[in-house]
């Protein structure tokens, strides 16, 4: 039963990651900011292979930051 819950979480996270990538692509921001955000999404994607729940929390936090306008200042963030 726990395995089914993990699969459901994985499916939801995959959909949310896809949406997050679309959101980042559509932002009207400098390229360096877009690159920094894309890197963060790739790190979250990689983390999901080892810590699904943690990756979901990180994605939620990142999307909240984006929604509230808290973006990296440059590609070095």
């Amino acid at each position: 039963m726990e395995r089914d819950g993990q699969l459901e979480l994985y499916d939801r996270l995959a959909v949310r990651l896809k949406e997050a990538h679309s959101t980042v692509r559509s932002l009207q921001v400098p390229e360096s900011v877009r690159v920094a955000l894309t890197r963060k999404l790739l790190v979250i994607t990689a983390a999901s292979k080892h810590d699904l729940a943690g990756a979901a929390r990180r994605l939620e936090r990142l999307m909240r930051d984006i929604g509230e306008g808290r973006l990296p200042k440059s590609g070095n963030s």
Side-chain angles (χ1 to χ4, degrees):
M1 190 66 131
E2 182 179 323
R3 182 94 171 124
D4 290 338
Q6 285 246 312
L7 288 174
E8 183 179 321
L9 180 57
Y10 177 80
D11 288 342
R12 282 185 294 176
L13 181 60
V15 168
R16 289 173 57 211
L17 279 165
K18 185 177 178 182
E19 292 168 352
H21 278 279
S22 293
T23 297
V24 167
R25 273 195 311 273
S26 69
L27 290 174
Q28 299 296 316
V29 296
E31 187 63 21
S32 62
V33 172
R34 187 179 332 283
V35 167
L37 291 170
T38 300
R39 284 184 179 145
K40 288 177 185 243
L41 288 172
L42 292 173
V43 167
I44 292 169
T45 301
S48 71
K49 296 175 184 176
H50 306 285
D51 180 8
L52 199 52
R57 287 189 300 274
R58 290 173 72 176
L59 179 59
E60 181 65 31
R61 191 169 40 246
L62 177 61
M63 296 312 295
R64 185 174 43 245
D65 287 348
I66 290 171
E68 294 174 0
R70 289 191 302 266
L71 303 173
K73 299 290 186 224
S74 70
N76 296 329
S77 294

